[in-house]
Amino acid sequence: MDVSKAIRQLEYALQEVRGDLVQSAGHQSVCSIHKHGSPSDFLKYSEGKEFIVRKVISLLNRQASEAELASFLSENEVKFNRYKSSELTSSSAWQAYADGGLDGIELTKRLLEIPGKLI
């Protein structure tokens, strides 16, 4: 794995996701957005994806081992899949957040060339 290349690609992806967050928030604070309906759903999707990509960049910059990266991704794959199946997180906003997180994990796995499912 070319870590420098992966970091550059993830930083580019993070810029795109953050652009989506700003756009979907109408240039407002994310916390001030009403939490129901499709604009919020896109915002929550972007928030979940941003969380994963940002944390992976941080791990790579700290020179985390492949095992640490895999552990982080695996733990979060479990967490986001639980969000997808729990009645407590069945709202469209939570589902969008989980979808974004899972897509962030898939993006990261593809860029870091991590094969298949982690769980």
Side-chain angles (χ1 to χ4, degrees), residues 14-30 33 38-47:
L14 184 60
Q15 287 175 355
E16 286 183 337
V17 172
R18 286 181 173 162
D20 290 344
L21 279 168
V22 169
Q23 180 184 6
S24 64
H27 302 280
Q28 300 178 56
S29 163
V30 171
I33 303 299
S38 56
S40 176
D41 291 351
F42 182 63
L43 176 72
K44 296 303 287 180
Y45 170 87
S46 297
E47 183 182 10

Side-chain angles (χ1 to χ4, degrees), residues 42-113:
F42 182 63
L43 176 72
K44 296 303 287 180
Y45 170 87
S46 297
E47 183 182 10
K49 191 172 184 180
E50 192 270 350
F51 165 73
I52 293 296
V53 174
R54 176 176 40 85
K55 291 295 284 183
V56 168
I57 290 170
S58 175
L59 287 168
L60 290 171
N61 280 325
R62 288 189 303 120
Q63 299 178 345
S65 69
E66 288 185 30
E68 290 172 303
L69 287 167
S71 177
F72 170 77
L73 293 173
S74 179
E75 289 169 11
N76 280 280
E77 190 171 16
V78 168
K79 176 181 80 174
F80 286 119
N81 278 313
R82 283 187 184 142
Y83 291 163
K84 296 291 293 173
S85 62
S86 173
E87 285 186 33
L88 296 174
T89 53
S90 64
S91 72
S92 62
W94 273 109
Q95 294 300 299
Y97 180 74
D99 288 339
L102 291 169
D103 284 351
I105 290 168
E106 288 306 312
L107 169 70
T108 299
K109 287 170 34 180
R110 181 174 43 80
L111 291 176
L112 297 178
E113 300 174 358

